[in-house]
């Protein structure tokens, strides 16, 4: 079992590392600013769910075996980079759609009756639910295809594991759970703050919605570059 002094020292390091600018917190910030705080928290939940795989593999010793193979490490990095570029492409297609809809709205009149149609409301709720599932899935996939997380846990856990406290794999699982909990709390707070900032910007000008989408796309591209080349 992990002792209290281990928990306190581990959480201090974990919180500091989570607050540092990195792929996960940038991902959450981008989603929150361009969409909503709910979207950011949904992504955060997906990211933390993906961490379960890395923690379990690290505790079982599988991560060390995978990372010892240059070919396996390269393939995982490549898949992760490709997935991030795919997300960037999806955002770009969304930007083109927003521009097209903006041009259409400038030349066409939309009746208020059509906007209040109940079927439209039902479809909107369905679209929101599907979007939430998609964001949750994106968080999981992004987390699982980042082999640097496995390296991170393999470097971090041994510093706080004590042989005299019993089963080492169990201690690693407990530390992993603590890391996921604090990460989700921090990401949730970041989501609310980033969403508030994004909302203010979009209220100032409708063009900020497209600008924030462009920023989100660039973040995906930078994260892809960071994952594959750095």
């Amino acid at each position: 079992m992990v002792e209290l002094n281990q928990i306190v020292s581990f959480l201090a390091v974990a919180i500091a590392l989570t607050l540092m600018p990195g792929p996960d917190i940038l991902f959450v910030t981008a989603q929150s600013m361009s969409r909503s705080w709910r979207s950011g928290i949904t992504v955060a939940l997906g990211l933390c769910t993906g961490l379960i795989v890395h923690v379990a593999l690290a505790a079982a010793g599988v991560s060390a075996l995978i990372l010892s193979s240059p070919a396996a490490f390269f393939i995982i990095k490549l898949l992760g980079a490709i997935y991030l570029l795919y997300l960037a492409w999806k955002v770009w297609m969304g930007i083109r759609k927003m521009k097209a809809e903006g041009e259409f709205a400038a030349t066409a009149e939309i009746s208020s009756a059509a906007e209040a149609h109940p079927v439209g409301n039902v479809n909107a709720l369905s679209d929101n639910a599907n979007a939430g599932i998609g964001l949750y899935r994106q968080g999981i996939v992004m987390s699982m295809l980042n082999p640097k997380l496995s390296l991170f846990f393999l470097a971090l856990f041994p510093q706080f594991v004590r042989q005299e406290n019993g089963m080492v794999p169990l201690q690693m699982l407990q530390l992993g759970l603590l890391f996921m909990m604090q990460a989700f709390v921090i990401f949730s707070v970041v989501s609310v703050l980033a969403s508030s900032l994004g909302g203010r910007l979009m209220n100032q000008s409708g063009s900020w919605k497209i600008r924030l989408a462009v920023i989100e796309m660039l973040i995906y591209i930078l994260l892809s570059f960071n994952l594959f080349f750095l």
Side-chain angles (χ1 to χ4, degrees):
M1 288 291 291
V2 178
E3 296 180 349
L4 180 60
N5 62 330
Q6 290 174 267
I7 293 175
V8 172
S9 57
F10 177 79
L11 281 178
V13 173
I15 291 171
L17 292 172
T18 303
L19 287 171
M20 291 177 62
D24 290 351
I25 202 164
L26 287 176
F27 189 34
V28 170
T29 301
Q31 295 296 331
S32 302
M33 290 187 68
S34 61
R35 291 179 172 80
S36 68
W37 63 268
R38 294 182 182 85
S39 298
I41 291 177
T42 302
V43 166
L45 187 60
L47 289 169
C48 292
T49 302
L51 289 179
I52 295 175
V53 176
H54 290 285
V55 172
L57 292 178
V62 177
S63 291
L65 294 176
I66 294 176
L67 297 175
S68 65
S69 169
F73 188 69
F74 175 81
I75 290 173
I76 296 174
K77 284 206 305 181
L78 179 62
L79 291 174
I82 291 174
Y83 182 71
L84 286 167
L85 290 176
Y86 165 71
L87 294 180
W89 175 79
K90 285 185 66 177
V91 174
W92 169 246
M93 295 303 293
I95 292 172
R96 293 183 60 183
K97 183 179 179 182
M98 281 190 286
K99 288 182 177 180
E101 289 176 347
E103 292 173 0
F104 176 78
T107 57
E109 293 183 359
I110 302 174
S111 67
S112 58
E115 292 179 354
H117 198 281
V119 175
N121 293 335
V122 172
N123 290 336
L125 289 173
S126 177
D127 290 342
N128 288 336
N130 291 333
I133 294 172
L135 289 172
Y136 176 69
R137 185 166 57 243
Q138 283 181 18
I140 294 176
V141 175
M142 181 179 170
S143 179
M144 290 179 61
L145 292 180
N146 186 0
K148 292 183 179 181
L149 286 174
S150 292
L151 280 173
F152 170 75
F153 284 127
L154 285 176
L156 182 65
F157 285 166
Q159 302 178 48
F160 299 94
V161 170
R162 302 288 182 268
Q163 291 281 355
E164 62 272 15
N165 289 345
M167 297 177 61
V168 170
L170 179 59
Q171 292 183 59
M172 294 177 73
L173 288 174
Q174 291 172 334
L175 292 175
L177 179 61
L178 286 173
F179 189 91
M180 285 183 281
M181 290 172 63
Q182 65 82 28
F184 180 72
V185 171
I186 290 176
F187 288 159
S188 297
V189 174
V190 169
S191 296
V192 174
L193 296 176
S195 176
S196 177
L197 176 60
R200 290 178 183 177
L201 292 175
M202 284 188 281
N203 286 335
Q204 291 179 4
S205 172
S207 62
W208 268 104
K209 186 173 184 180
I210 294 179
R211 294 174 188 172
L212 290 174
V214 171
I215 293 173
E216 180 184 356
M217 179 184 69
L218 291 176
I219 286 176
Y220 288 143
I221 294 173
L222 290 174
L223 291 179
S224 175
F225 178 85
N226 175 75
L227 176 61
F228 190 72
F229 294 102
L230 301 181

